[in-house]
Amino acid sequence: MGVTRQKHAKKIMGFYKHNFQFREPFQVLLDGTFCQAALRNKIQIREQLPGYLGGAAQLCTTRYGGEQRCVIKELESLGKALYGAKLIAQRFQVRNCSHHKNPVSGSTCLLSMIEDGNPHHFFIATQDQELSNKVKRKPGIPLLFIIQNTMVLDKPSLKSLAFVQKLQTNQLVPEYQKQSIVELKEKEGLVKQEGEKRRKRKRAGGPNPLSCLKKKKKKTQEGQEPSAEKKKRRKRKRNRVSKAEAMQSVQKNEGE
């Protein structure tokens, strides 16, 4: 596995983990065409895919009732040429589909599993070009295919990139998050009941800001406070009295 290809896959996986909440174990839905390509190119899907995706992976096909599976039923109908691919697909886990009465083609069944925003976070692994084009029209669905004897994780589609851009600008909420938001609001008691009126809370009034201002002291024309001027006058008066007393005391002394 080339270092460049591994870095490419790691970057794409980061995109899906961050924007579409993909978590381990990753669930990969495979059709007969992918199994046949893996057999022809001698690719060990079960051993190689987890290392390529960077985490545990569950390889899956679909089931419409009992042990009958749409993907395997399609492989059986194609005859001995795809017998090896059928043996590979039979080893995978199964996921229930909605085709309870009659099986459908593998591509139709896989498309039905990713409806309503792909809530189960499935990967789609296929060599069917028509199926791949339909998958790319839906946001948030990683696509795997085999080319030149290697597995490749396709880059995010234009639909996925546009979806993420809307999320980042708060213009869209994913379907799988809407229900979680409602449940969280109900749990916290934030959902308004019908007929319930809002009660206005009285806010405590604060003190008048004008009453909190400090009073300014009046100043004289020279910019001095009146108290300081009075102190100076008192000092001068005391000095004059002390000089007069001193003169009297001197005259008395001379007369004697």
Side-chain angles (χ1 to χ4, degrees):
M1 187 180 299
V3 177
T4 303
R5 190 166 65 92
Q6 186 66 36
K7 289 182 178 179
H8 176 77
K10 184 177 181 180
K11 182 179 179 180
I12 295 174
M13 287 301 300
F15 173 84
Y16 285 108
K17 288 179 181 179
H18 179 72
N19 296 297
F20 295 97
Q21 288 71 49
F22 276 74
R23 297 291 182 269
E24 296 182 45
F26 306 120
Q27 299 191 78
V28 183
L29 289 174
L30 304 96
D31 69 354
T33 63
F34 191 89
C35 295
Q36 178 66 14
L39 180 63
R40 185 172 59 250
N41 293 283
K42 299 180 181 180
I43 295 175
Q44 301 294 327
I45 305 174
R46 193 183 297 275
E47 288 74 19
Q48 296 181 25
L49 190 57
Y52 180 57
L53 298 180
Q58 295 178 348
L59 308 181
C60 313
T61 57
T62 56
R63 176 176 60 190
Y64 68 90
E67 290 300 324
Q68 297 295 324
R69 309 172 193 179
C70 291
V71 172
I72 295 177
K73 194 69 176 179
E74 181 183 44
L75 290 172
E76 288 177 351
S77 66
L78 295 175
K80 294 182 180 180
L82 296 176
Y83 180 75
K86 186 190 76 170
L87 293 179
I88 294 174
Q90 285 178 337
R91 301 174 184 174
F92 300 151
Q93 300 181 23
V94 291
R95 296 292 181 266
N96 291 327
C97 63
S98 59
H99 311 113
H100 301 293
K101 296 182 180 180
N102 298 312
V104 297
S105 66
S107 60
T108 302
C109 188
L110 264 58
L111 281 175
S112 70
M113 298 293 288
I114 56 176
E115 291 179 346
D116 302 326
N118 192 21
H120 299 291
H121 302 92
F122 286 123
F123 289 67
I124 297 295
T126 182
Q127 297 296 104
D128 188 338
Q129 190 61 43
E130 184 179 355
L131 175 58
S132 299
N133 293 334
K134 292 179 180 179
V135 169
K136 291 179 181 180
R137 295 172 191 164
K138 298 177 180 291
I141 303 173
L143 182 64
L144 283 160
F145 55 89
I146 295 174
I147 185 172
Q148 296 180 355
N149 302 329
T150 56
M151 288 182 294
V152 177
L153 178 61
D154 197 16
K155 62 182 180 181
S157 64
L158 296 177
K159 282 285 185 179
S160 295
L161 296 173
F163 184 89
V164 171
Q165 187 175 5
K166 288 182 179 180
L167 284 179
Q168 292 175 348
T169 54
N170 297 323
Q171 294 178 4
L172 185 65
V173 177
E175 291 295 332
Y176 65 88
Q177 288 186 356
K178 288 182 179 179
Q179 185 62 30
S180 300
I181 294 173
V182 172
E183 292 176 358
L184 182 60
K185 286 184 177 181
E186 290 178 352
K187 183 178 179 181
E188 299 296 332
L190 300 177
V191 179
K192 290 172 56 180
Q193 298 179 356
E194 295 183 1
E196 184 180 355
K197 296 182 179 180
R198 287 186 178 181
R199 295 182 180 180
K200 293 183 179 181
R201 295 183 179 180
K202 294 183 179 181
R203 297 181 179 178
N208 188 349
L210 296 177
S211 63
C212 299
L213 297 177
K214 294 182 178 181
K215 294 182 179 180
K216 296 182 179 180
K217 296 180 180 180
K218 295 182 179 180
K219 296 184 178 181
T220 59
Q221 295 179 354
E222 293 80 8
Q224 296 178 348
E225 296 180 1
S227 58
E229 188 177 354
K230 290 181 179 180
K231 289 180 180 179
K232 287 185 178 182
R233 290 179 179 176
R234 290 175 182 174
K235 288 181 180 180
R236 290 175 183 175
K237 188 174 181 181
R238 289 175 183 173
N239 291 336
R240 285 197 296 268
V241 172
S242 60
K243 287 181 180 179
E245 290 178 354
M247 290 295 294
Q248 290 178 1
S249 62
V250 170
Q251 292 177 358
K252 287 181 179 180
N253 291 333
E254 290 179 353
E256 293 176 356

